[in-house]
PDB file of all heavy atoms in Angstrom:
ATOM      1  N   ASP P 703    -176.507  46.093 167.509  1.00  0.00           N
ATOM      2  CA  ASP P 703    -175.338  46.830 167.028  1.00  0.00           C
ATOM      3  C   ASP P 703    -174.289  45.931 166.362  1.00  0.00           C
ATOM      4  O   ASP P 703    -173.241  46.411 165.940  1.00  0.00           O
ATOM      5  CB  ASP P 703    -174.670  47.579 168.183  1.00  0.00           C
ATOM      6  CG  ASP P 703    -175.573  48.654 168.754  1.00  0.00           C
ATOM      7  OD1 ASP P 703    -176.253  49.329 167.967  1.00  0.00           O
ATOM      8  OD2 ASP P 703    -175.599  48.802 169.985  1.00  0.00           O
ATOM      9  N   SER P 704    -174.559  44.651 166.270  1.00  0.00           N
ATOM     10  CA  SER P 704    -173.604  43.684 165.728  1.00  0.00           C
ATOM     11  C   SER P 704    -173.240  43.993 164.285  1.00  0.00           C
ATOM     12  O   SER P 704    -174.028  44.539 163.519  1.00  0.00           O
ATOM     13  CB  SER P 704    -174.205  42.282 165.807  1.00  0.00           C
ATOM     14  OG  SER P 704    -173.381  41.346 165.142  1.00  0.00           O
ATOM     15  N   GLU P 705    -172.025  43.616 163.920  1.00  0.00           N
ATOM     16  CA  GLU P 705    -171.544  43.728 162.546  1.00  0.00           C
ATOM     17  C   GLU P 705    -171.474  42.348 161.884  1.00  0.00           C
ATOM     18  O   GLU P 705    -170.785  42.182 160.875  1.00  0.00           O
ATOM     19  CB  GLU P 705    -170.178  44.406 162.519  1.00  0.00           C
ATOM     20  CG  GLU P 705    -170.227  45.845 162.991  1.00  0.00           C
ATOM     21  CD  GLU P 705    -168.864  46.527 162.962  1.00  0.00           C
ATOM     22  OE1 GLU P 705    -167.900  45.942 162.440  1.00  0.00           O
ATOM     23  OE2 GLU P 705    -168.774  47.653 163.476  1.00  0.00           O
ATOM     24  N   GLU P 706    -172.159  41.347 162.461  1.00  0.00           N
ATOM     25  CA  GLU P 706    -172.154  39.980 161.936  1.00  0.00           C
ATOM     26  C   GLU P 706    -173.492  39.667 161.273  1.00  0.00           C
ATOM     27  O   GLU P 706    -174.393  39.112 161.906  1.00  0.00           O
ATOM     28  CB  GLU P 706    -171.910  38.984 163.062  1.00  0.00           C
ATOM     29  CG  GLU P 706    -170.536  39.042 163.671  1.00  0.00           C
ATOM     30  CD  GLU P 706    -170.344  37.935 164.680  1.00  0.00           C
ATOM     31  OE1 GLU P 706    -170.388  36.755 164.283  1.00  0.00           O
ATOM     32  OE2 GLU P 706    -170.183  38.261 165.865  1.00  0.00           O
ATOM     33  N   PRO P 707    -173.642  39.984 159.986  1.00  0.00           N
ATOM     34  CA  PRO P 707    -174.915  39.704 159.313  1.00  0.00           C
ATOM     35  C   PRO P 707    -175.025  38.240 158.910  1.00  0.00           C
ATOM     36  O   PRO P 707    -174.026  37.543 158.731  1.00  0.00           O
ATOM     37  CB  PRO P 707    -174.846  40.601 158.074  1.00  0.00           C
ATOM     38  CG  PRO P 707    -173.393  40.689 157.776  1.00  0.00           C
ATOM     39  CD  PRO P 707    -172.701  40.661 159.113  1.00  0.00           C
ATOM     40  N   LEU P 708    -176.246  37.775 158.782  1.00  0.00           N
ATOM     41  CA  LEU P 708    -176.492  36.451 158.240  1.00  0.00           C
ATOM     42  C   LEU P 708    -177.850  36.448 157.555  1.00  0.00           C
ATOM     43  O   LEU P 708    -178.709  37.270 157.854  1.00  0.00           O
ATOM     44  CB  LEU P 708    -176.428  35.366 159.314  1.00  0.00           C
ATOM     45  CG  LEU P 708    -177.563  35.280 160.317  1.00  0.00           C
ATOM     46  CD1 LEU P 708    -177.692  33.856 160.786  1.00  0.00           C
ATOM     47  CD2 LEU P 708    -177.307  36.180 161.488  1.00  0.00           C
ATOM     48  N   ALA P 709    -178.005  35.521 156.629  1.00  0.00           N
ATOM     49  CA  ALA P 709    -179.270  35.377 155.918  1.00  0.00           C
ATOM     50  C   ALA P 709    -180.115  34.346 156.643  1.00  0.00           C
ATOM     51  O   ALA P 709    -179.634  33.266 156.976  1.00  0.00           O
ATOM     52  CB  ALA P 709    -179.020  34.944 154.481  1.00  0.00           C
ATOM     53  N   LEU P 710    -181.349  34.689 156.893  1.00  0.00           N
ATOM     54  CA  LEU P 710    -182.272  33.770 157.552  1.00  0.00           C
ATOM     55  C   LEU P 710    -182.957  32.901 156.500  1.00  0.00           C
ATOM     56  O   LEU P 710    -183.212  33.355 155.385  1.00  0.00           O
ATOM     57  CB  LEU P 710    -183.324  34.562 158.331  1.00  0.00           C
ATOM     58  CG  LEU P 710    -182.780  35.475 159.424  1.00  0.00           C
ATOM     59  CD1 LEU P 710    -183.902  36.331 159.990  1.00  0.00           C
ATOM     60  CD2 LEU P 710    -182.126  34.670 160.517  1.00  0.00           C
ATOM     61  N   PRO P 711    -183.262  31.653 156.848  1.00  0.00           N
ATOM     62  CA  PRO P 711    -183.924  30.782 155.874  1.00  0.00           C
ATOM     63  C   PRO P 711    -185.366  31.211 155.630  1.00  0.00           C
ATOM     64  O   PRO P 711    -186.070  31.623 156.551  1.00  0.00           O
ATOM     65  CB  PRO P 711    -183.873  29.401 156.532  1.00  0.00           C
ATOM     66  CG  PRO P 711    -183.795  29.675 157.994  1.00  0.00           C
ATOM     67  CD  PRO P 711    -183.039  30.967 158.122  1.00  0.00           C
ATOM     68  N   LEU P 712    -185.782  31.138 154.374  1.00  0.00           N
ATOM     69  CA  LEU P 712    -187.170  31.438 154.032  1.00  0.00           C
ATOM     70  C   LEU P 712    -187.977  30.169 153.790  1.00  0.00           C
ATOM     71  O   LEU P 712    -189.200  30.211 153.779  1.00  0.00           O
ATOM     72  CB  LEU P 712    -187.237  32.337 152.799  1.00  0.00           C
ATOM     73  CG  LEU P 712    -186.714  33.747 152.994  1.00  0.00           C
ATOM     74  CD1 LEU P 712    -186.822  34.535 151.697  1.00  0.00           C
ATOM     75  CD2 LEU P 712    -187.487  34.454 154.100  1.00  0.00           C
ATOM     76  N   GLU P 713    -187.300  29.066 153.600  1.00  0.00           N
ATOM     77  CA  GLU P 713    -187.977  27.802 153.336  1.00  0.00           C
ATOM     78  C   GLU P 713    -188.058  26.980 154.617  1.00  0.00           C
ATOM     79  O   GLU P 713    -187.074  26.851 155.355  1.00  0.00           O
ATOM     80  CB  GLU P 713    -187.226  27.009 152.268  1.00  0.00           C
ATOM     81  CG  GLU P 713    -187.104  27.737 150.947  1.00  0.00           C
ATOM     82  CD  GLU P 713    -188.450  27.994 150.288  1.00  0.00           C
ATOM     83  OE1 GLU P 713    -189.361  27.154 150.442  1.00  0.00           O
ATOM     84  OE2 GLU P 713    -188.600  29.023 149.622  1.00  0.00           O
ATOM     85  N   ALA P 714    -189.209  26.393 154.870  1.00  0.00           N
ATOM     86  CA  ALA P 714    -189.425  25.598 156.081  1.00  0.00           C
ATOM     87  C   ALA P 714    -188.441  24.444 156.188  1.00  0.00           C
ATOM     88  O   ALA P 714    -187.980  24.112 157.285  1.00  0.00           O
ATOM     89  CB  ALA P 714    -190.860  25.077 156.101  1.00  0.00           C
ATOM     90  N   ILE P 715    -188.085  23.854 155.072  1.00  0.00           N
ATOM     91  CA  ILE P 715    -187.184  22.704 155.075  1.00  0.00           C
ATOM     92  C   ILE P 715    -185.784  23.058 155.588  1.00  0.00           C
ATOM     93  O   ILE P 715    -185.046  22.203 156.057  1.00  0.00           O
ATOM     94  CB  ILE P 715    -187.120  22.069 153.662  1.00  0.00           C
ATOM     95  CG1 ILE P 715    -186.528  20.676 153.737  1.00  0.00           C
ATOM     96  CG2 ILE P 715    -186.364  22.965 152.695  1.00  0.00           C
ATOM     97  CD1 ILE P 715    -186.701  19.874 152.476  1.00  0.00           C
ATOM     98  N   GLU P 716    -185.410  24.321 155.553  1.00  0.00           N
ATOM     99  CA  GLU P 716    -184.096  24.782 156.000  1.00  0.00           C
ATOM    100  C   GLU P 716    -184.059  25.159 157.480  1.00  0.00           C
ATOM    101  O   GLU P 716    -182.982  25.336 158.050  1.00  0.00           O
ATOM    102  CB  GLU P 716    -183.678  26.007 155.191  1.00  0.00           C
ATOM    103  CG  GLU P 716    -183.599  25.785 153.700  1.00  0.00           C
ATOM    104  CD  GLU P 716    -183.430  27.082 152.930  1.00  0.00           C
ATOM    105  OE1 GLU P 716    -183.788  28.157 153.448  1.00  0.00           O
ATOM    106  OE2 GLU P 716    -182.939  27.019 151.803  1.00  0.00           O
ATOM    107  N   LEU P 717    -185.201  25.273 158.121  1.00  0.00           N
ATOM    108  CA  LEU P 717    -185.265  25.856 159.465  1.00  0.00           C
ATOM    109  C   LEU P 717    -184.614  24.993 160.544  1.00  0.00           C
ATOM    110  O   LEU P 717    -183.893  25.512 161.392  1.00  0.00           O
ATOM    111  CB  LEU P 717    -186.708  26.179 159.842  1.00  0.00           C
ATOM    112  CG  LEU P 717    -186.889  26.946 161.148  1.00  0.00           C
ATOM    113  CD1 LEU P 717    -186.094  28.253 161.133  1.00  0.00           C
ATOM    114  CD2 LEU P 717    -188.350  27.216 161.404  1.00  0.00           C
ATOM    115  N   ASP P 718    -184.827  23.695 160.548  1.00  0.00           N
ATOM    116  CA  ASP P 718    -184.240  22.841 161.594  1.00  0.00           C
ATOM    117  C   ASP P 718    -182.717  22.908 161.582  1.00  0.00           C
ATOM    118  O   ASP P 718    -182.082  23.023 162.637  1.00  0.00           O
ATOM    119  CB  ASP P 718    -184.711  21.402 161.444  1.00  0.00           C
ATOM    120  CG  ASP P 718    -186.149  21.209 161.883  1.00  0.00           C
ATOM    121  OD1 ASP P 718    -186.649  22.033 162.684  1.00  0.00           O
ATOM    122  OD2 ASP P 718    -186.778  20.230 161.444  1.00  0.00           O
ATOM    123  N   ALA P 719    -182.121  22.851 160.405  1.00  0.00           N
ATOM    124  CA  ALA P 719    -180.660  22.920 160.305  1.00  0.00           C
ATOM    125  C   ALA P 719    -180.158  24.287 160.780  1.00  0.00           C
ATOM    126  O   ALA P 719    -179.151  24.377 161.490  1.00  0.00           O
ATOM    127  CB  ALA P 719    -180.217  22.655 158.873  1.00  0.00           C
ATOM    128  N   PHE P 720    -180.865  25.348 160.415  1.00  0.00           N
ATOM    129  CA  PHE P 720    -180.490  26.701 160.835  1.00  0.00           C
ATOM    130  C   PHE P 720    -180.554  26.829 162.354  1.00  0.00           C
ATOM    131  O   PHE P 720    -179.631  27.350 162.984  1.00  0.00           O
ATOM    132  CB  PHE P 720    -181.420  27.723 160.182  1.00  0.00           C
ATOM    133  CG  PHE P 720    -181.098  29.139 160.529  1.00  0.00           C
ATOM    134  CD1 PHE P 720    -180.138  29.844 159.822  1.00  0.00           C
ATOM    135  CD2 PHE P 720    -181.755  29.789 161.561  1.00  0.00           C
ATOM    136  CE1 PHE P 720    -179.837  31.159 160.137  1.00  0.00           C
ATOM    137  CE2 PHE P 720    -181.462  31.097 161.885  1.00  0.00           C
ATOM    138  CZ  PHE P 720    -180.497  31.779 161.167  1.00  0.00           C
ATOM    139  N   ARG P 721    -181.625  26.329 162.953  1.00  0.00           N
ATOM    140  CA  ARG P 721    -181.767  26.403 164.413  1.00  0.00           C
ATOM    141  C   ARG P 721    -180.658  25.634 165.118  1.00  0.00           C
ATOM    142  O   ARG P 721    -180.147  26.066 166.148  1.00  0.00           O
ATOM    143  CB  ARG P 721    -183.133  25.872 164.838  1.00  0.00           C
ATOM    144  CG  ARG P 721    -184.264  26.817 164.552  1.00  0.00           C
ATOM    145  CD  ARG P 721    -185.584  26.200 164.922  1.00  0.00           C
ATOM    146  NE  ARG P 721    -186.678  27.148 164.834  1.00  0.00           N
ATOM    147  CZ  ARG P 721    -187.944  26.797 164.875  1.00  0.00           C
ATOM    148  NH1 ARG P 721    -188.289  25.519 164.976  1.00  0.00           N
ATOM    149  NH2 ARG P 721    -188.894  27.709 164.792  1.00  0.00           N
ATOM    150  N   SER P 722    -180.290  24.478 164.581  1.00  0.00           N
ATOM    151  CA  SER P 722    -179.209  23.685 165.172  1.00  0.00           C
ATOM    152  C   SER P 722    -177.875  24.418 165.087  1.00  0.00           C
ATOM    153  O   SER P 722    -177.093  24.415 166.033  1.00  0.00           O
ATOM    154  CB  SER P 722    -179.088  22.338 164.461  1.00  0.00           C
ATOM    155  OG  SER P 722    -180.220  21.552 164.712  1.00  0.00           O
ATOM    156  N   LEU P 723    -177.620  25.025 163.955  1.00  0.00           N
ATOM    157  CA  LEU P 723    -176.360  25.737 163.739  1.00  0.00           C
ATOM    158  C   LEU P 723    -176.214  26.945 164.661  1.00  0.00           C
ATOM    159  O   LEU P 723    -175.129  27.247 165.138  1.00  0.00           O
ATOM    160  CB  LEU P 723    -176.272  26.176 162.276  1.00  0.00           C
ATOM    161  CG  LEU P 723    -174.977  26.802 161.803  1.00  0.00           C
ATOM    162  CD1 LEU P 723    -173.799  25.845 161.979  1.00  0.00           C
ATOM    163  CD2 LEU P 723    -175.107  27.211 160.353  1.00  0.00           C
ATOM    164  N   TYR P 724    -177.314  27.633 164.933  1.00  0.00           N
ATOM    165  CA  TYR P 724    -177.282  28.869 165.724  1.00  0.00           C
ATOM    166  C   TYR P 724    -178.057  28.750 167.033  1.00  0.00           C
ATOM    167  O   TYR P 724    -178.596  29.734 167.519  1.00  0.00           O
ATOM    168  CB  TYR P 724    -177.861  30.023 164.890  1.00  0.00           C
ATOM    169  CG  TYR P 724    -177.029  30.362 163.680  1.00  0.00           C
ATOM    170  CD1 TYR P 724    -177.417  29.956 162.413  1.00  0.00           C
ATOM    171  CD2 TYR P 724    -175.846  31.077 163.809  1.00  0.00           C
ATOM    172  CE1 TYR P 724    -176.651  30.265 161.296  1.00  0.00           C
ATOM    173  CE2 TYR P 724    -175.079  31.390 162.708  1.00  0.00           C
ATOM    174  CZ  TYR P 724    -175.484  30.975 161.456  1.00  0.00           C
ATOM    175  OH  TYR P 724    -174.721  31.284 160.370  1.00  0.00           O
ATOM    176  N   GLU P 725    -178.082  27.562 167.634  1.00  0.00           N
ATOM    177  CA  GLU P 725    -178.924  27.344 168.811  1.00  0.00           C
ATOM    178  C   GLU P 725    -178.569  28.209 170.017  1.00  0.00           C
ATOM    179  O   GLU P 725    -179.420  28.474 170.859  1.00  0.00           O
ATOM    180  CB  GLU P 725    -178.927  25.869 169.199  1.00  0.00           C
ATOM    181  CG  GLU P 725    -177.606  25.342 169.708  1.00  0.00           C
ATOM    182  CD  GLU P 725    -177.674  23.852 169.998  1.00  0.00           C
ATOM    183  OE1 GLU P 725    -178.744  23.371 170.409  1.00  0.00           O
ATOM    184  OE2 GLU P 725    -176.658  23.185 169.802  1.00  0.00           O
ATOM    185  N   LYS P 726    -177.343  28.686 170.118  1.00  0.00           N
ATOM    186  CA  LYS P 726    -176.928  29.501 171.274  1.00  0.00           C
ATOM    187  C   LYS P 726    -176.874  30.992 170.953  1.00  0.00           C
ATOM    188  O   LYS P 726    -176.429  31.787 171.768  1.00  0.00           O
ATOM    189  CB  LYS P 726    -175.575  29.021 171.775  1.00  0.00           C
ATOM    190  CG  LYS P 726    -175.640  27.611 172.314  1.00  0.00           C
ATOM    191  CD  LYS P 726    -174.332  27.136 172.817  1.00  0.00           C
ATOM    192  CE  LYS P 726    -174.543  25.698 173.282  1.00  0.00           C
ATOM    193  NZ  LYS P 726    -173.377  25.041 173.716  1.00  0.00           N
ATOM    194  N   ASP P 727    -177.320  31.371 169.775  1.00  0.00           N
ATOM    195  CA  ASP P 727    -177.246  32.765 169.342  1.00  0.00           C
ATOM    196  C   ASP P 727    -178.613  33.440 169.391  1.00  0.00           C
ATOM    197  O   ASP P 727    -179.646  32.783 169.377  1.00  0.00           O
ATOM    198  CB  ASP P 727    -176.723  32.838 167.899  1.00  0.00           C
ATOM    199  CG  ASP P 727    -175.288  32.381 167.784  1.00  0.00           C
ATOM    200  OD1 ASP P 727    -174.435  32.941 168.499  1.00  0.00           O
ATOM    201  OD2 ASP P 727    -175.021  31.464 166.994  1.00  0.00           O
ATOM    202  N   SER P 728    -178.592  34.758 169.428  1.00  0.00           N
ATOM    203  CA  SER P 728    -179.820  35.535 169.295  1.00  0.00           C
ATOM    204  C   SER P 728    -179.723  36.334 167.998  1.00  0.00           C
ATOM    205  O   SER P 728    -178.641  36.677 167.538  1.00  0.00           O
ATOM    206  CB  SER P 728    -180.027  36.461 170.493  1.00  0.00           C
ATOM    207  OG  SER P 728    -178.931  37.341 170.642  1.00  0.00           O
ATOM    208  N   PHE P 729    -180.877  36.614 167.414  1.00  0.00           N
ATOM    209  CA  PHE P 729    -180.949  37.300 166.124  1.00  0.00           C
ATOM    210  C   PHE P 729    -181.618  38.656 166.312  1.00  0.00           C
ATOM    211  O   PHE P 729    -182.582  38.780 167.051  1.00  0.00           O
ATOM    212  CB  PHE P 729    -181.759  36.467 165.123  1.00  0.00           C
ATOM    213  CG  PHE P 729    -181.345  35.033 165.077  1.00  0.00           C
ATOM    214  CD1 PHE P 729    -182.153  34.060 165.612  1.00  0.00           C
ATOM    215  CD2 PHE P 729    -180.143  34.668 164.518  1.00  0.00           C
ATOM    216  CE1 PHE P 729    -181.765  32.733 165.588  1.00  0.00           C
ATOM    217  CE2 PHE P 729    -179.744  33.345 164.482  1.00  0.00           C
ATOM    218  CZ  PHE P 729    -180.562  32.372 165.026  1.00  0.00           C
ATOM    219  N   TRP P 730    -181.094  39.633 165.586  1.00  0.00           N
ATOM    220  CA  TRP P 730    -181.566  41.004 165.743  1.00  0.00           C
ATOM    221  C   TRP P 730    -181.751  41.668 164.393  1.00  0.00           C
ATOM    222  O   TRP P 730    -181.060  41.345 163.429  1.00  0.00           O
ATOM    223  CB  TRP P 730    -180.560  41.807 166.566  1.00  0.00           C
ATOM    224  CG  TRP P 730    -180.410  41.246 167.931  1.00  0.00           C
ATOM    225  CD1 TRP P 730    -179.642  40.169 168.299  1.00  0.00           C
ATOM    226  CD2 TRP P 730    -181.078  41.665 169.107  1.00  0.00           C
ATOM    227  NE1 TRP P 730    -179.793  39.915 169.637  1.00  0.00           N
ATOM    228  CE2 TRP P 730    -180.665  40.816 170.158  1.00  0.00           C
ATOM    229  CE3 TRP P 730    -181.981  42.684 169.372  1.00  0.00           C
ATOM    230  CZ2 TRP P 730    -181.140  40.968 171.452  1.00  0.00           C
ATOM    231  CZ3 TRP P 730    -182.437  42.837 170.671  1.00  0.00           C
ATOM    232  CH2 TRP P 730    -182.016  41.979 171.686  1.00  0.00           C
ATOM    233  N   CYS P 731    -182.658  42.617 164.342  1.00  0.00           N
ATOM    234  CA  CYS P 731    -182.838  43.473 163.178  1.00  0.00           C
ATOM    235  C   CYS P 731    -181.755  44.543 163.284  1.00  0.00           C
ATOM    236  O   CYS P 731    -181.845  45.462 164.101  1.00  0.00           O
ATOM    237  CB  CYS P 731    -184.245  44.075 163.206  1.00  0.00           C
ATOM    238  SG  CYS P 731    -184.673  44.986 161.729  1.00  0.00           S
ATOM    239  N   GLY P 732    -180.689  44.379 162.521  1.00  0.00           N
ATOM    240  CA  GLY P 732    -179.472  45.160 162.689  1.00  0.00           C
ATOM    241  C   GLY P 732    -179.605  46.635 162.376  1.00  0.00           C
ATOM    242  O   GLY P 732    -180.063  47.026 161.309  1.00  0.00           O
ATOM    243  N   LEU P 733    -179.150  47.442 163.303  1.00  0.00           N
ATOM    244  CA  LEU P 733    -179.172  48.894 163.123  1.00  0.00           C
ATOM    245  C   LEU P 733    -178.249  49.325 161.990  1.00  0.00           C
ATOM    246  O   LEU P 733    -178.575  50.243 161.229  1.00  0.00           O
ATOM    247  CB  LEU P 733    -178.777  49.591 164.428  1.00  0.00           C
ATOM    248  CG  LEU P 733    -179.753  49.396 165.589  1.00  0.00           C
ATOM    249  CD1 LEU P 733    -179.157  49.954 166.878  1.00  0.00           C
ATOM    250  CD2 LEU P 733    -181.088  50.043 165.273  1.00  0.00           C
ATOM    251  N   LEU P 734    -177.108  48.657 161.841  1.00  0.00           N
ATOM    252  CA  LEU P 734    -176.173  49.019 160.769  1.00  0.00           C
ATOM    253  C   LEU P 734    -176.695  48.618 159.397  1.00  0.00           C
ATOM    254  O   LEU P 734    -176.199  49.092 158.380  1.00  0.00           O
ATOM    255  CB  LEU P 734    -174.804  48.380 161.023  1.00  0.00           C
ATOM    256  CG  LEU P 734    -174.099  48.854 162.298  1.00  0.00           C
ATOM    257  CD1 LEU P 734    -172.806  48.073 162.515  1.00  0.00           C
ATOM    258  CD2 LEU P 734    -173.814  50.343 162.231  1.00  0.00           C
TER     259      LEU P 734
END
């Protein structure tokens, strides 16, 4: 139900940085 959208990385080279940035968060397929 979150209103905080974000773009997920599609390139493998971007994944480690993305995981570090959001290591304490969970990601959801947003209903909104």
Side-chain angles (χ1 to χ4, degrees):
D703 295 320
S704 173
E705 295 180 8
E706 292 186 63
L708 72 152
L710 300 173
L712 292 179
E713 301 296 327
I715 196 167
E716 301 170 337
L717 187 56
D718 286 337
F720 181 85
R721 285 177 172 167
S722 293
L723 186 60
Y724 295 103
E725 67 183 327
K726 295 181 182 176
D727 294 305
S728 58
F729 312 108
W730 298 81
C731 187
L733 295 172
L734 297 175

